[in-house]
Amino acid sequence: APTTKRNVLSTALHFDQGSEVWLFDCGEGTQHQVAHSTLSIARINHIFITHLHGDHLLGLPGLLGTRSMQARVTEPMMIYGPPGMQKFLKCVLEITKTTLGFPLVIQEIEQDGVILETPHVTVEAMQLEHGVKSFGYALTEREKPGRFQRDRAKSAGIPEGPLYGRLKRGENVQLPNGKIYTSREFVNPPSKGRKIVILGDTVPCTAAFELAKEADVLVHEATFSKEQQILAEKSMHSTAQEAAQLAYRANVRTLILTHISARYEKIADASSHPLLDEARTVFSNTYLAEDFFLFSVPHRKED
């Protein structure tokens, strides 16, 4: 539930390339939060809903209506979510007589697997374990070509121009004197793209581990502390300790905790929070998200 200090859940991903924004979940009041941030509703063109509980999607109809009315965008809005997503939006938009000025493309996820591939990113979805169908999403950047070592090529006597292009493309080249050079002599190995994993509500499960493996960033719910373990199991949520244990086992680089129970309302300072302390005893590189929390995912260094 929202509190005076914390809204319900929505996570925005702002890409390096251009100004495209993807949303993950869209709880009540999300469009108000966007208005108070540096983001623009007009730039949101993909929305991924983890599951159909109200605190994760009741802000969606309002955000779509505002995007149509104020932003005047005609670019399609792509929405991904569990079965029932189409019915929910059709019902709400029809009853409220909301006409959108852009195409709405809804893809309901029926099974685990890749649900989206762009020139830069692949998105995989897997079903977690919650009271309803709840999905986690793993976004993986494509590999980046290795850096071309121009100085080394010059030292080897390879003239600048088309031969450099061939080496960059992985081809071998032959000079007039008959000497052959291979691409790998002058091009570093490709570097892996970043991996970001955003999970829906869940208890610890195999799917969460499989998605989280080797992630640069894992966004994981931490509704309760370990003292409320029984309550967490009953409501099919995770504790901060369980989120940290997953991050540790999956060799994650950074863990960000979200979906905090309203019982922690009186704790104002997120940097000295019992849930954060609990997680950091297991996995030190943990942050506790608060409204308007920002995190920049660093590029992976070349080998």
Side-chain angles (χ1 to χ4, degrees):
T3 72
T4 59
K5 299 183 179 70
R6 186 183 291 274
N7 199 51
V8 287
L9 197 60
S10 185
T11 302
L13 181 62
H14 189 194
F15 286 90
D16 295 335
Q17 298 92 2
S19 51
E20 189 174 6
V21 176
W22 292 4
L23 278 191
F24 294 80
D25 286 331
C26 190
E28 181 183 356
T30 293
Q31 64 170 316
H32 295 277
Q33 301 294 80
V34 171
H36 288 288
S37 75
T38 58
L39 301 173
S40 164
I41 275 186
R43 299 297 184 185
I44 300 171
N45 58 10
H46 288 67
I47 299 178
F48 301 80
I49 301 298
T50 60
H51 62 293
L52 302 186
H53 279 158
D55 57 321
H56 293 257
L57 90 159
L58 288 182
L60 186 52
L63 184 141
L64 294 175
T66 298
R67 183 182 190 260
S68 179
M69 180 174 58
Q70 292 183 357
R72 309 283 183 195
V73 245
T74 57
E75 182 183 2
M77 172 68 82
M78 311 296 296
I79 297 182
Y80 304 82
M85 192 82 251
Q86 181 102 27
K87 182 179 179 181
F88 167 74
L89 282 175
K90 181 181 179 182
C91 178
V92 173
L93 296 177
E94 281 185 359
I95 289 175
T96 59
K97 311 241 181 262
T98 302
T99 301
L100 301 179
F102 50 81
L104 190 62
V105 182
I106 301 172
Q107 180 177 328
E108 294 189 345
I109 305 169
E110 300 289 348
Q111 59 187 9
D112 294 353
V114 173
I115 60 169
L116 175 65
E117 292 186 88
T118 77
H120 304 292
V121 178
T122 297
V123 183
E124 180 184 8
M126 293 184 73
Q127 186 174 334
L128 307 173
E129 294 184 15
H130 193 46
V132 298
K133 269 197 174 181
S134 181
F135 287 94
Y137 298 102
L139 296 86
T140 306
E141 276 187 316
R142 303 206 183 277
E143 280 190 342
K144 298 185 182 301
R147 184 171 57 85
F148 177 65
Q149 300 183 45
R150 182 180 296 269
D151 290 343
R152 181 181 291 184
K154 281 184 179 180
S155 298
I158 302 174
E160 292 191 50
L163 294 183
Y164 280 18
R166 291 177 58 189
L167 289 169
K168 290 177 184 178
R169 292 192 297 272
E171 301 173 19
N172 298 335
V173 300
Q174 183 174 10
L175 299 187
N177 62 11
K179 188 166 180 59
I180 297 175
Y181 290 102
T182 62
S183 172
R184 64 175 177 270
E185 295 178 72
F186 305 99
V187 179
N188 290 353
S191 58
K192 287 185 177 180
R194 293 166 289 182
K195 181 179 180 181
I196 299 169
V197 177
I198 300 172
L199 301 184
D201 294 356
T202 187
V203 293
C205 63
T206 302
F209 173 76
E210 290 299 322
L211 283 175
K213 283 193 294 191
E214 303 294 333
D216 292 87
V217 174
L218 169 64
V219 181
H220 196 299
E221 68 132 304
T223 311
F224 300 106
S225 70
K226 60 184 179 181
E227 281 73 28
Q228 282 82 44
Q229 181 71 51
I230 294 176
L231 182 56
E233 291 174 2
K234 183 178 178 181
S235 59
M236 302 198 76
H237 284 290
S238 296
T239 67
Q241 182 183 69
E242 288 171 331
Q245 288 169 340
L246 172 62
Y248 179 80
R249 289 191 300 111
N251 198 29
V252 167
R253 288 164 178 76
T254 300
L255 171 65
I256 300 175
L257 303 177
T258 58
H259 203 274
I260 309 306
S261 169
R263 69 181 58 232
Y264 303 102
E265 160 76 359
K266 294 181 181 178
I267 303 170
D269 185 3
S271 64
S272 59
H273 196 285
L275 294 181
L276 182 61
D277 295 340
E278 176 178 307
R280 282 182 171 172
T281 60
V282 178
F283 188 80
S284 60
N285 197 26
T286 300
Y287 296 87
L288 180 70
E290 51 190 336
D291 288 13
F292 309 111
F293 172 82
L294 298 174
F295 184 83
S296 293
V297 185
H299 287 275
R300 294 195 176 196
K301 294 180 180 178
E302 285 189 354
D303 295 333

